[in-house]
Amino acid sequence: MRGVDVAIIGAGAAGLSAARELSVAGVSVAVVEGRDRIGGRIFTRRDPRVPVPVELGAEFVHGAAPEVGRVARAAGLAVLDLCGGRFEPRGGRLAPLDGYLQRVDRVMRKLAAEFVQGFHAADLERISARSLAEGGSPGQDPTESLLGRVAGGYDRVPEWLARGIGPSIHLSTTVERVEWEPGGVALLVRSSVDGRASVVDARAAIVTVPIGVLNAAAGEPGAITFSPDVGPIHRASARLAMGAVARIAFWFTELPWDARGVELAAGETTASLAFLQTHAADFPVWWSAHPARVPFAVAWSGGPPAAALSGLPLDEARGRALRGLAGALGISPRTVERRVVDAWTHDWQADPFSRGAYSYARVGGSTAGRSLARPVARTLFFAGEATDTHGRTGTVDGAIASGRRAAGQVLRALRV
Ligand SMILES: Cc1cc2nc3c(=O)[nH]c(=O)nc-3n(C[C@H](O)[C@H](O)[C@H](O)COP(=O)(O)OP(=O)(O)OC[C@H]3O[C@@H](n4cnc5c(N)ncnc54)[C@H](O)[C@@H]3O)c2cc1C
């Protein structure tokens, strides 16, 4: 690979938004991506039998999400806000869960386990209460309570960000080592196609790999060694951790909550069911594709229960999800199982390029994101959801914003 102005590690939302900003400003870039696809933790699959996108990573647009909104407008994408109801089993019947987000907010403030783990994917023993208080919950602002989806699939966002810079993106190329000095960087990379090593030379680098990768020990798959070591960055990243998420997407012949034998509270219908809080141990939350009327649903687990599911064969994990759902619906597991046509998942915890779902601040780590966002010798710049400083860590919106912030820092450093 030839030398460029700026080398960018990672073709997720952060890396692509940085690359786009720099290209528009006339700066040459090389984006080096370990996987054989762009998007990172945005991972959309499509199946000819299923009329909605199958999201295996990010699915929702949280709150106002100005960065996602900007991309959506420019790319001609619609964000559809969820309007359905939230239910839970109560007294043997499915009943509406009133004021769900307000309840999340209240419960989060008390750090009650189920909701906090579900929302932040965090381990309660380790999460920083300060970072939760500063940015973690939807609060009273109605805009912040909005929850939408990108119609057509979340991958349309990275696709648009990558438009026009395709030749600068090098897939299946893992960065193993970053050698740097003020004003110069050499990335030592290896192709996962033929195992060949090569070098990318640049004046500066933007590193957008997840915290799980930054914190991985040297020699682990995907881990990056910096030479010389970047002490402040590693001290900051060690104050953050990756939360675990397990999610399984199901295509059914009929939604299980529409099966005979499921009792509903008086006057209720499942036609508007968007979320179901089952309180099951492994997968306490399910959601439908509402407002799309299709028999598609997702089982969700966050925090230590999700970490415990990592490495399980899909059949075992899906069996647990379906048994938990059957228990909440008051019907037999066989009745639920019989309705399954197919299921999809991705093990983010075992994936060497993510090593978890998204970042959270450990106790004492509430300012670590800010430290990561500080340039190193005007040569190394760090971006990615974990470096967001506006309460949007763990989101696509925060990742895009961080990429744009890093691109601005680079432009100032290179005085372009
Ligand atoms: C299951 C799940 C559900 C989620 N749900 C939501 C949601 O509903 N809404 C929301 O807003 N957010 C959600 N998120 C979070 C969101 O996906 C992330 O915050 C965002 O996509 C992160 O973007 P990023 O660019 O910071 O990192 P990434 O997307 O992880 O990009 C980093 C890139 O670096 C690459 N990389 C890593 N190591 C190397 C290496 N050594 N060499 C080369 N390349 C490397 C990776 O392959 C990756 O492509 C979810 C995440 C998960 C996992």
Side-chain angles (χ1 to χ4, degrees):
M1 270 174 243
R2 67 189 173 85
V4 288
D5 289 323
V6 183
I8 298 172
I9 309 179
L16 293 174
S17 72
R20 188 178 180 87
E21 294 284 315
L22 292 172
S23 297
V24 167
V27 173
S28 63
V29 299
V31 183
V32 185
E33 168 56 53
R35 294 186 177 110
D36 62 2
R37 60 172 182 85
I38 63 165
R41 283 171 277 167
I42 299 173
F43 188 15
T44 309
R45 303 276 302 272
R46 288 181 180 75
D47 186 295
R49 295 165 296 176
V50 184
V52 291
V54 179
E55 303 290 0
L56 300 182
E59 175 164 351
F60 297 112
V61 178
H62 297 282
E67 300 288 347
V68 175
R70 210 175 45 83
V71 172
R73 273 190 304 282
L77 303 169
V79 177
L80 298 180
D81 284 318
L82 268 73
C83 52
R86 302 159 200 268
F87 287 70
E88 67 175 346
R90 219 182 298 143
R93 288 159 192 264
L94 292 189
L97 188 57
D98 294 323
Y100 175 82
L101 283 172
Q102 284 68 26
R103 204 169 134 188
V104 170
D105 189 45
R106 225 175 31 240
V107 176
M108 283 178 100
R109 285 171 202 280
K110 290 189 202 154
L111 295 184
E114 198 175 285
F115 278 107
V116 177
Q117 286 175 4
F119 209 79
H120 278 281
D123 181 339
L124 281 180
E125 298 290 319
R126 299 194 288 169
I127 193 168
S128 153
R130 175 132 178 244
S131 74
L132 265 184
E134 283 175 355
S137 66
Q140 301 301 320
D141 179 350
T143 322
E144 287 311 306
S145 299
L146 287 174
L147 203 55
R149 288 191 187 96
V150 178
Y154 230 141
D155 60 348
R156 300 295 188 227
V157 169
E159 270 172 20
W160 183 83
L161 290 171
R163 209 176 285 171
I165 52 169
S168 308
I169 302 174
H170 305 277
L171 300 177
S172 304
T173 307
T174 304
V175 177
E176 296 182 338
R177 192 175 169 84
V178 176
E179 293 181 354
W180 67 281
E181 60 186 13
V185 179
L187 304 188
L188 280 60
V189 308
R190 189 173 298 280
S191 160
S192 59
V193 176
D194 57 16
R196 293 239 310 257
S198 55
V199 178
V200 181
D201 290 309
R203 295 166 65 195
I206 301 178
V207 184
T208 75
V209 301
I211 286 300
V213 174
L214 270 188
N215 287 345
E220 293 278 338
I224 300 174
T225 309
F226 289 85
S227 176
D229 190 27
V230 197
I233 293 298
H234 279 118
R235 280 194 292 281
S237 68
R239 292 190 284 137
L240 302 173
M242 288 298 269
V245 165
R247 45 171 295 159
I248 308 179
F250 287 93
W251 179 237
F252 294 104
T253 53
E254 178 197 36
L255 285 168
W257 37 88
D258 289 333
R260 267 183 46 200
V262 176
E263 303 274 345
L264 294 174
E268 295 301 333
T269 154
T270 53
S272 67
L273 187 150
F275 286 88
L276 175 63
Q277 190 84 32
T278 64
H279 306 294
D282 291 315
F283 291 90
V285 181
W286 284 72
W287 60 78
S288 69
H290 190 275
R293 290 192 199 174
V294 289
F296 181 81
V298 172
W300 167 276
S301 178
L309 293 163
S310 175
L312 285 187
L314 174 58
D315 273 358
E316 168 64 20
R318 98 180 209 171
R320 292 193 195 188
L322 296 173
R323 282 194 294 278
L325 178 62
L329 297 178
I331 55 178
S332 77
R334 235 186 88 67
T335 306
V336 177
E337 184 73 57
R338 266 207 316 262
R339 286 174 163 69
V340 178
V341 181
D342 215 339
W344 301 263
T345 195
H346 182 77
D347 192 340
W348 295 100
Q349 285 62 247
D351 186 328
F353 293 122
S354 56
R355 297 172 176 274
Y358 36 84
S359 69
Y360 67 92
R362 291 172 186 266
V363 175
S366 65
T367 58
R370 210 163 301 146
S371 307
L372 286 175
R374 260 178 228 135
V376 178
R378 301 157 71 89
T379 305
L380 294 182
F381 301 81
F382 289 78
E385 52 88 5
T387 70
D388 176 77
T389 51
H390 294 92
R392 295 174 295 186
T393 58
T395 67
V396 172
D397 206 61
I400 297 175
S402 76
R404 297 181 67 208
R405 182 262 305 148
Q409 290 172 323
V410 169
L411 290 177
R412 284 193 293 281
L414 300 184
R415 295 193 200 287
V416 176

PDB file of all heavy atoms in Angstrom, residues 119-154:
ATOM      1  N   PHE A 119     -29.870  -2.194  29.362  1.00  0.00           N
ATOM      2  CA  PHE A 119     -29.682  -0.933  28.650  1.00  0.00           C
ATOM      3  C   PHE A 119     -28.212  -0.677  28.350  1.00  0.00           C
ATOM      4  O   PHE A 119     -27.859  -0.256  27.269  1.00  0.00           O
ATOM      5  CB  PHE A 119     -30.241   0.177  29.534  1.00  0.00           C
ATOM      6  CG  PHE A 119     -30.761   1.349  28.771  1.00  0.00           C
ATOM      7  CD1 PHE A 119     -32.010   1.300  28.176  1.00  0.00           C
ATOM      8  CD2 PHE A 119     -30.021   2.499  28.661  1.00  0.00           C
ATOM      9  CE1 PHE A 119     -32.498   2.387  27.487  1.00  0.00           C
ATOM     10  CE2 PHE A 119     -30.499   3.593  27.976  1.00  0.00           C
ATOM     11  CZ  PHE A 119     -31.744   3.543  27.387  1.00  0.00           C
ATOM     12  N   HIS A 120     -27.353  -0.915  29.308  1.00  0.00           N
ATOM     13  CA  HIS A 120     -25.942  -0.560  29.156  1.00  0.00           C
ATOM     14  C   HIS A 120     -25.024  -1.733  28.894  1.00  0.00           C
ATOM     15  O   HIS A 120     -23.830  -1.527  28.698  1.00  0.00           O
ATOM     16  CB  HIS A 120     -25.433   0.145  30.422  1.00  0.00           C
ATOM     17  CG  HIS A 120     -25.782   1.590  30.445  1.00  0.00           C
ATOM     18  ND1 HIS A 120     -25.081   2.525  29.728  1.00  0.00           N
ATOM     19  CD2 HIS A 120     -26.778   2.249  31.050  1.00  0.00           C
ATOM     20  CE1 HIS A 120     -25.627   3.706  29.914  1.00  0.00           C
ATOM     21  NE2 HIS A 120     -26.659   3.567  30.711  1.00  0.00           N
ATOM     22  N   ALA A 121     -25.533  -2.942  28.895  1.00  0.00           N
ATOM     23  CA  ALA A 121     -24.714  -4.118  28.658  1.00  0.00           C
ATOM     24  C   ALA A 121     -23.573  -4.212  29.674  1.00  0.00           C
ATOM     25  O   ALA A 121     -22.553  -4.811  29.419  1.00  0.00           O
ATOM     26  CB  ALA A 121     -24.135  -4.093  27.235  1.00  0.00           C
ATOM     27  N   ALA A 122     -23.735  -3.562  30.826  1.00  0.00           N
ATOM     28  CA  ALA A 122     -22.611  -3.439  31.745  1.00  0.00           C
ATOM     29  C   ALA A 122     -22.680  -4.455  32.878  1.00  0.00           C
ATOM     30  O   ALA A 122     -23.726  -5.014  33.165  1.00  0.00           O
ATOM     31  CB  ALA A 122     -22.615  -2.041  32.351  1.00  0.00           C
ATOM     32  N   ASP A 123     -21.529  -4.656  33.489  1.00  0.00           N
ATOM     33  CA  ASP A 123     -21.468  -5.478  34.675  1.00  0.00           C
ATOM     34  C   ASP A 123     -21.645  -4.538  35.868  1.00  0.00           C
ATOM     35  O   ASP A 123     -20.851  -3.639  36.103  1.00  0.00           O
ATOM     36  CB  ASP A 123     -20.095  -6.160  34.722  1.00  0.00           C
ATOM     37  CG  ASP A 123     -19.941  -7.063  35.906  1.00  0.00           C
ATOM     38  OD1 ASP A 123     -20.690  -6.891  36.890  1.00  0.00           O
ATOM     39  OD2 ASP A 123     -19.067  -7.932  35.860  1.00  0.00           O
ATOM     40  N   LEU A 124     -22.729  -4.755  36.623  1.00  0.00           N
ATOM     41  CA  LEU A 124     -23.073  -3.809  37.697  1.00  0.00           C
ATOM     42  C   LEU A 124     -21.989  -3.628  38.735  1.00  0.00           C
ATOM     43  O   LEU A 124     -21.886  -2.594  39.365  1.00  0.00           O
ATOM     44  CB  LEU A 124     -24.336  -4.298  38.412  1.00  0.00           C
ATOM     45  CG  LEU A 124     -25.628  -3.989  37.673  1.00  0.00           C
ATOM     46  CD1 LEU A 124     -26.796  -4.519  38.459  1.00  0.00           C
ATOM     47  CD2 LEU A 124     -25.748  -2.500  37.460  1.00  0.00           C
ATOM     48  N   GLU A 125     -21.161  -4.652  38.922  1.00  0.00           N
ATOM     49  CA  GLU A 125     -20.092  -4.546  39.913  1.00  0.00           C
ATOM     50  C   GLU A 125     -19.055  -3.506  39.491  1.00  0.00           C
ATOM     51  O   GLU A 125     -18.335  -2.957  40.294  1.00  0.00           O
ATOM     52  CB  GLU A 125     -19.374  -5.898  40.068  1.00  0.00           C
ATOM     53  CG  GLU A 125     -20.245  -7.019  40.570  1.00  0.00           C
ATOM     54  CD  GLU A 125     -20.625  -6.800  42.021  1.00  0.00           C
ATOM     55  OE1 GLU A 125     -19.754  -6.371  42.786  1.00  0.00           O
ATOM     56  OE2 GLU A 125     -21.789  -7.039  42.364  1.00  0.00           O
ATOM     57  N   ARG A 126     -18.983  -3.267  38.156  1.00  0.00           N
ATOM     58  CA  ARG A 126     -17.864  -2.482  37.664  1.00  0.00           C
ATOM     59  C   ARG A 126     -18.258  -1.133  37.066  1.00  0.00           C
ATOM     60  O   ARG A 126     -17.411  -0.288  36.838  1.00  0.00           O
ATOM     61  CB  ARG A 126     -17.108  -3.281  36.599  1.00  0.00           C
ATOM     62  CG  ARG A 126     -16.557  -4.577  37.162  1.00  0.00           C
ATOM     63  CD  ARG A 126     -15.545  -5.180  36.234  1.00  0.00           C
ATOM     64  NE  ARG A 126     -16.149  -5.732  35.039  1.00  0.00           N
ATOM     65  CZ  ARG A 126     -15.461  -6.119  33.981  1.00  0.00           C
ATOM     66  NH1 ARG A 126     -14.162  -5.982  33.950  1.00  0.00           N
ATOM     67  NH2 ARG A 126     -16.071  -6.641  32.948  1.00  0.00           N
ATOM     68  N   ILE A 127     -19.551  -0.941  36.795  1.00  0.00           N
ATOM     69  CA  ILE A 127     -19.938   0.282  36.083  1.00  0.00           C
ATOM     70  C   ILE A 127     -19.799   1.514  36.978  1.00  0.00           C
ATOM     71  O   ILE A 127     -19.999   1.445  38.192  1.00  0.00           O
ATOM     72  CB  ILE A 127     -21.383   0.161  35.556  1.00  0.00           C
ATOM     73  CG1 ILE A 127     -21.693   1.259  34.555  1.00  0.00           C
ATOM     74  CG2 ILE A 127     -22.391   0.190  36.699  1.00  0.00           C
ATOM     75  CD1 ILE A 127     -22.984   1.021  33.790  1.00  0.00           C
ATOM     76  N   SER A 128     -19.422   2.646  36.361  1.00  0.00           N
ATOM     77  CA  SER A 128     -19.262   3.877  37.113  1.00  0.00           C
ATOM     78  C   SER A 128     -20.610   4.578  37.275  1.00  0.00           C
ATOM     79  O   SER A 128     -21.266   4.905  36.300  1.00  0.00           O
ATOM     80  CB  SER A 128     -18.284   4.793  36.360  1.00  0.00           C
ATOM     81  OG  SER A 128     -18.545   6.137  36.651  1.00  0.00           O
ATOM     82  N   ALA A 129     -21.003   4.797  38.533  1.00  0.00           N
ATOM     83  CA  ALA A 129     -22.293   5.454  38.786  1.00  0.00           C
ATOM     84  C   ALA A 129     -22.273   6.859  38.210  1.00  0.00           C
ATOM     85  O   ALA A 129     -23.269   7.369  37.720  1.00  0.00           O
ATOM     86  CB  ALA A 129     -22.557   5.505  40.282  1.00  0.00           C
ATOM     87  N   ARG A 130     -21.098   7.511  38.226  1.00  0.00           N
ATOM     88  CA  ARG A 130     -20.994   8.881  37.735  1.00  0.00           C
ATOM     89  C   ARG A 130     -21.297   8.938  36.242  1.00  0.00           C
ATOM     90  O   ARG A 130     -22.024   9.803  35.770  1.00  0.00           O
ATOM     91  CB  ARG A 130     -19.588   9.389  38.035  1.00  0.00           C
ATOM     92  CG  ARG A 130     -19.319  10.734  37.478  1.00  0.00           C
ATOM     93  CD  ARG A 130     -18.693  11.636  38.515  1.00  0.00           C
ATOM     94  NE  ARG A 130     -18.421  12.906  37.894  1.00  0.00           N
ATOM     95  CZ  ARG A 130     -17.215  13.378  37.741  1.00  0.00           C
ATOM     96  NH1 ARG A 130     -16.175  12.714  38.196  1.00  0.00           N
ATOM     97  NH2 ARG A 130     -17.034  14.522  37.173  1.00  0.00           N
ATOM     98  N   SER A 131     -20.730   7.992  35.471  1.00  0.00           N
ATOM     99  CA  SER A 131     -20.979   8.051  34.032  1.00  0.00           C
ATOM    100  C   SER A 131     -22.436   7.772  33.731  1.00  0.00           C
ATOM    101  O   SER A 131     -23.011   8.327  32.806  1.00  0.00           O
ATOM    102  CB  SER A 131     -20.066   7.090  33.269  1.00  0.00           C
ATOM    103  OG  SER A 131     -20.475   5.764  33.438  1.00  0.00           O
ATOM    104  N   LEU A 132     -23.076   6.924  34.539  1.00  0.00           N
ATOM    105  CA  LEU A 132     -24.514   6.678  34.364  1.00  0.00           C
ATOM    106  C   LEU A 132     -25.286   7.960  34.612  1.00  0.00           C
ATOM    107  O   LEU A 132     -26.150   8.353  33.841  1.00  0.00           O
ATOM    108  CB  LEU A 132     -24.996   5.643  35.381  1.00  0.00           C
ATOM    109  CG  LEU A 132     -25.053   4.196  34.954  1.00  0.00           C
ATOM    110  CD1 LEU A 132     -25.661   3.381  36.084  1.00  0.00           C
ATOM    111  CD2 LEU A 132     -25.874   4.037  33.698  1.00  0.00           C
ATOM    112  N   ALA A 133     -24.947   8.635  35.702  1.00  0.00           N
ATOM    113  CA  ALA A 133     -25.670   9.845  36.072  1.00  0.00           C
ATOM    114  C   ALA A 133     -25.461  10.920  35.018  1.00  0.00           C
ATOM    115  O   ALA A 133     -26.356  11.703  34.723  1.00  0.00           O
ATOM    116  CB  ALA A 133     -25.183  10.339  37.434  1.00  0.00           C
ATOM    117  N   GLU A 134     -24.256  10.963  34.389  1.00  0.00           N
ATOM    118  CA  GLU A 134     -23.950  12.032  33.437  1.00  0.00           C
ATOM    119  C   GLU A 134     -24.584  11.833  32.081  1.00  0.00           C
ATOM    120  O   GLU A 134     -24.826  12.772  31.366  1.00  0.00           O
ATOM    121  CB  GLU A 134     -22.432  12.157  33.263  1.00  0.00           C
ATOM    122  CG  GLU A 134     -21.804  12.874  34.430  1.00  0.00           C
ATOM    123  CD  GLU A 134     -20.291  12.896  34.347  1.00  0.00           C
ATOM    124  OE1 GLU A 134     -19.730  12.273  33.438  1.00  0.00           O
ATOM    125  OE2 GLU A 134     -19.697  13.527  35.223  1.00  0.00           O
ATOM    126  N   GLY A 135     -24.784  10.603  31.688  1.00  0.00           N
ATOM    127  CA  GLY A 135     -25.283  10.469  30.322  1.00  0.00           C
ATOM    128  C   GLY A 135     -26.093   9.230  30.068  1.00  0.00           C
ATOM    129  O   GLY A 135     -26.453   8.948  28.939  1.00  0.00           O
ATOM    130  N   GLY A 136     -26.339   8.474  31.099  1.00  0.00           N
ATOM    131  CA  GLY A 136     -26.825   7.144  30.824  1.00  0.00           C
ATOM    132  C   GLY A 136     -28.300   6.942  30.618  1.00  0.00           C
ATOM    133  O   GLY A 136     -28.693   5.947  30.047  1.00  0.00           O
ATOM    134  N   SER A 137     -29.147   7.844  31.016  1.00  0.00           N
ATOM    135  CA  SER A 137     -30.551   7.484  30.986  1.00  0.00           C
ATOM    136  C   SER A 137     -31.369   8.536  30.249  1.00  0.00           C
ATOM    137  O   SER A 137     -30.971   9.678  30.099  1.00  0.00           O
ATOM    138  CB  SER A 137     -31.068   7.330  32.416  1.00  0.00           C
ATOM    139  OG  SER A 137     -31.052   8.559  33.069  1.00  0.00           O
ATOM    140  N   PRO A 138     -32.515   8.166  29.755  1.00  0.00           N
ATOM    141  CA  PRO A 138     -33.266   9.068  28.910  1.00  0.00           C
ATOM    142  C   PRO A 138     -33.847  10.291  29.610  1.00  0.00           C
ATOM    143  O   PRO A 138     -34.158  11.280  28.946  1.00  0.00           O
ATOM    144  CB  PRO A 138     -34.394   8.196  28.357  1.00  0.00           C
ATOM    145  CG  PRO A 138     -34.374   6.909  29.060  1.00  0.00           C
ATOM    146  CD  PRO A 138     -33.130   6.829  29.854  1.00  0.00           C
ATOM    147  N   GLY A 139     -33.985  10.260  30.933  1.00  0.00           N
ATOM    148  CA  GLY A 139     -34.448  11.437  31.665  1.00  0.00           C
ATOM    149  C   GLY A 139     -35.840  11.885  31.248  1.00  0.00           C
ATOM    150  O   GLY A 139     -36.632  11.113  30.771  1.00  0.00           O
ATOM    151  N   GLN A 140     -36.102  13.196  31.377  1.00  0.00           N
ATOM    152  CA  GLN A 140     -37.455  13.702  31.148  1.00  0.00           C
ATOM    153  C   GLN A 140     -37.655  14.254  29.736  1.00  0.00           C
ATOM    154  O   GLN A 140     -38.770  14.550  29.342  1.00  0.00           O
ATOM    155  CB  GLN A 140     -37.765  14.801  32.163  1.00  0.00           C
ATOM    156  CG  GLN A 140     -37.672  14.369  33.620  1.00  0.00           C
ATOM    157  CD  GLN A 140     -38.611  13.223  33.938  1.00  0.00           C
ATOM    158  OE1 GLN A 140     -39.733  13.198  33.459  1.00  0.00           O
ATOM    159  NE2 GLN A 140     -38.138  12.241  34.703  1.00  0.00           N
ATOM    160  N   ASP A 141     -36.562  14.463  28.971  1.00  0.00           N
ATOM    161  CA  ASP A 141     -36.678  15.051  27.646  1.00  0.00           C
ATOM    162  C   ASP A 141     -37.354  14.065  26.697  1.00  0.00           C
ATOM    163  O   ASP A 141     -36.818  12.996  26.413  1.00  0.00           O
ATOM    164  CB  ASP A 141     -35.268  15.398  27.145  1.00  0.00           C
ATOM    165  CG  ASP A 141     -35.302  16.004  25.745  1.00  0.00           C
ATOM    166  OD1 ASP A 141     -36.372  15.968  25.118  1.00  0.00           O
ATOM    167  OD2 ASP A 141     -34.253  16.485  25.308  1.00  0.00           O
ATOM    168  N   PRO A 142     -38.543  14.431  26.167  1.00  0.00           N
ATOM    169  CA  PRO A 142     -39.264  13.474  25.323  1.00  0.00           C
ATOM    170  C   PRO A 142     -38.488  13.076  24.071  1.00  0.00           C
ATOM    171  O   PRO A 142     -38.597  11.964  23.590  1.00  0.00           O
ATOM    172  CB  PRO A 142     -40.561  14.209  24.971  1.00  0.00           C
ATOM    173  CG  PRO A 142     -40.439  15.588  25.483  1.00  0.00           C
ATOM    174  CD  PRO A 142     -39.253  15.684  26.386  1.00  0.00           C
ATOM    175  N   THR A 143     -37.664  14.010  23.520  1.00  0.00           N
ATOM    176  CA  THR A 143     -36.875  13.669  22.327  1.00  0.00           C
ATOM    177  C   THR A 143     -35.916  12.538  22.652  1.00  0.00           C
ATOM    178  O   THR A 143     -35.674  11.645  21.845  1.00  0.00           O
ATOM    179  CB  THR A 143     -36.036  14.885  21.870  1.00  0.00           C
ATOM    180  OG1 THR A 143     -36.790  16.049  22.040  1.00  0.00           O
ATOM    181  CG2 THR A 143     -35.588  14.721  20.436  1.00  0.00           C
ATOM    182  N   GLU A 144     -35.342  12.603  23.866  1.00  0.00           N
ATOM    183  CA  GLU A 144     -34.363  11.585  24.239  1.00  0.00           C
ATOM    184  C   GLU A 144     -35.013  10.225  24.440  1.00  0.00           C
ATOM    185  O   GLU A 144     -34.343   9.205  24.481  1.00  0.00           O
ATOM    186  CB  GLU A 144     -33.597  12.021  25.495  1.00  0.00           C
ATOM    187  CG  GLU A 144     -32.613  13.137  25.233  1.00  0.00           C
ATOM    188  CD  GLU A 144     -31.719  12.875  24.023  1.00  0.00           C
ATOM    189  OE1 GLU A 144     -31.081  11.806  23.979  1.00  0.00           O
ATOM    190  OE2 GLU A 144     -31.680  13.702  23.099  1.00  0.00           O
ATOM    191  N   SER A 145     -36.330  10.207  24.602  1.00  0.00           N
ATOM    192  CA  SER A 145     -37.027   8.934  24.779  1.00  0.00           C
ATOM    193  C   SER A 145     -37.381   8.285  23.441  1.00  0.00           C
ATOM    194  O   SER A 145     -37.852   7.160  23.420  1.00  0.00           O
ATOM    195  CB  SER A 145     -38.316   9.142  25.573  1.00  0.00           C
ATOM    196  OG  SER A 145     -37.991   9.659  26.839  1.00  0.00           O
ATOM    197  N   LEU A 146     -37.144   9.002  22.326  1.00  0.00           N
ATOM    198  CA  LEU A 146     -37.481   8.429  21.018  1.00  0.00           C
ATOM    199  C   LEU A 146     -36.609   7.214  20.735  1.00  0.00           C
ATOM    200  O   LEU A 146     -35.455   7.147  21.141  1.00  0.00           O
ATOM    201  CB  LEU A 146     -37.250   9.461  19.910  1.00  0.00           C
ATOM    202  CG  LEU A 146     -38.240  10.607  19.789  1.00  0.00           C
ATOM    203  CD1 LEU A 146     -37.754  11.594  18.731  1.00  0.00           C
ATOM    204  CD2 LEU A 146     -39.622  10.073  19.431  1.00  0.00           C
ATOM    205  N   LEU A 147     -37.191   6.273  20.027  1.00  0.00           N
ATOM    206  CA  LEU A 147     -36.460   5.078  19.636  1.00  0.00           C
ATOM    207  C   LEU A 147     -36.905   4.784  18.206  1.00  0.00           C
ATOM    208  O   LEU A 147     -38.098   4.600  17.957  1.00  0.00           O
ATOM    209  CB  LEU A 147     -36.857   3.937  20.583  1.00  0.00           C
ATOM    210  CG  LEU A 147     -35.919   2.766  20.770  1.00  0.00           C
ATOM    211  CD1 LEU A 147     -34.546   3.232  21.209  1.00  0.00           C
ATOM    212  CD2 LEU A 147     -36.505   1.800  21.797  1.00  0.00           C
ATOM    213  N   GLY A 148     -35.950   4.793  17.278  1.00  0.00           N
ATOM    214  CA  GLY A 148     -36.322   4.560  15.880  1.00  0.00           C
ATOM    215  C   GLY A 148     -35.460   3.491  15.240  1.00  0.00           C
ATOM    216  O   GLY A 148     -34.561   2.931  15.880  1.00  0.00           O
ATOM    217  N   ARG A 149     -35.774   3.191  13.992  1.00  0.00           N
ATOM    218  CA  ARG A 149     -34.960   2.261  13.208  1.00  0.00           C
ATOM    219  C   ARG A 149     -34.720   2.890  11.837  1.00  0.00           C
ATOM    220  O   ARG A 149     -35.586   3.600  11.325  1.00  0.00           O
ATOM    221  CB  ARG A 149     -35.693   0.946  12.952  1.00  0.00           C
ATOM    222  CG  ARG A 149     -35.841   0.038  14.119  1.00  0.00           C
ATOM    223  CD  ARG A 149     -36.335  -1.335  13.643  1.00  0.00           C
ATOM    224  NE  ARG A 149     -36.647  -2.188  14.764  1.00  0.00           N
ATOM    225  CZ  ARG A 149     -37.863  -2.341  15.267  1.00  0.00           C
ATOM    226  NH1 ARG A 149     -38.883  -1.700  14.745  1.00  0.00           N
ATOM    227  NH2 ARG A 149     -38.055  -3.155  16.293  1.00  0.00           N
ATOM    228  N   VAL A 150     -33.563   2.589  11.255  1.00  0.00           N
ATOM    229  CA  VAL A 150     -33.295   3.030   9.893  1.00  0.00           C
ATOM    230  C   VAL A 150     -34.028   2.069   8.966  1.00  0.00           C
ATOM    231  O   VAL A 150     -33.703   0.879   8.911  1.00  0.00           O
ATOM    232  CB  VAL A 150     -31.786   3.022   9.583  1.00  0.00           C
ATOM    233  CG1 VAL A 150     -31.541   3.445   8.131  1.00  0.00           C
ATOM    234  CG2 VAL A 150     -31.036   3.916  10.549  1.00  0.00           C
ATOM    235  N   ALA A 151     -35.032   2.599   8.247  1.00  0.00           N
ATOM    236  CA  ALA A 151     -35.784   1.739   7.326  1.00  0.00           C
ATOM    237  C   ALA A 151     -34.821   1.233   6.256  1.00  0.00           C
ATOM    238  O   ALA A 151     -33.996   1.977   5.752  1.00  0.00           O
ATOM    239  CB  ALA A 151     -36.907   2.543   6.679  1.00  0.00           C
ATOM    240  N   GLY A 152     -34.912  -0.043   5.961  1.00  0.00           N
ATOM    241  CA  GLY A 152     -34.004  -0.598   4.947  1.00  0.00           C
ATOM    242  C   GLY A 152     -32.748  -1.191   5.536  1.00  0.00           C
ATOM    243  O   GLY A 152     -32.018  -1.895   4.844  1.00  0.00           O
ATOM    244  N   GLY A 153     -32.484  -0.902   6.813  1.00  0.00           N
ATOM    245  CA  GLY A 153     -31.333  -1.523   7.475  1.00  0.00           C
ATOM    246  C   GLY A 153     -30.286  -0.509   7.906  1.00  0.00           C
ATOM    247  O   GLY A 153     -30.032   0.472   7.209  1.00  0.00           O
ATOM    248  N   TYR A 154     -29.678  -0.761   9.082  1.00  0.00           N
ATOM    249  CA  TYR A 154     -28.676   0.170   9.628  1.00  0.00           C
ATOM    250  C   TYR A 154     -27.437   0.228   8.736  1.00  0.00           C
ATOM    251  O   TYR A 154     -26.725   1.225   8.686  1.00  0.00           O
ATOM    252  CB  TYR A 154     -28.254  -0.265  11.046  1.00  0.00           C
ATOM    253  CG  TYR A 154     -28.312   0.852  12.076  1.00  0.00           C
ATOM    254  CD1 TYR A 154     -28.760   0.604  13.366  1.00  0.00           C
ATOM    255  CD2 TYR A 154     -27.900   2.150  11.769  1.00  0.00           C
ATOM    256  CE1 TYR A 154     -28.817   1.611  14.325  1.00  0.00           C
ATOM    257  CE2 TYR A 154     -27.942   3.163  12.714  1.00  0.00           C
ATOM    258  CZ  TYR A 154     -28.408   2.892  13.990  1.00  0.00           C
ATOM    259  OH  TYR A 154     -28.461   3.891  14.934  1.00  0.00           O
TER     260      TYR A 154
END
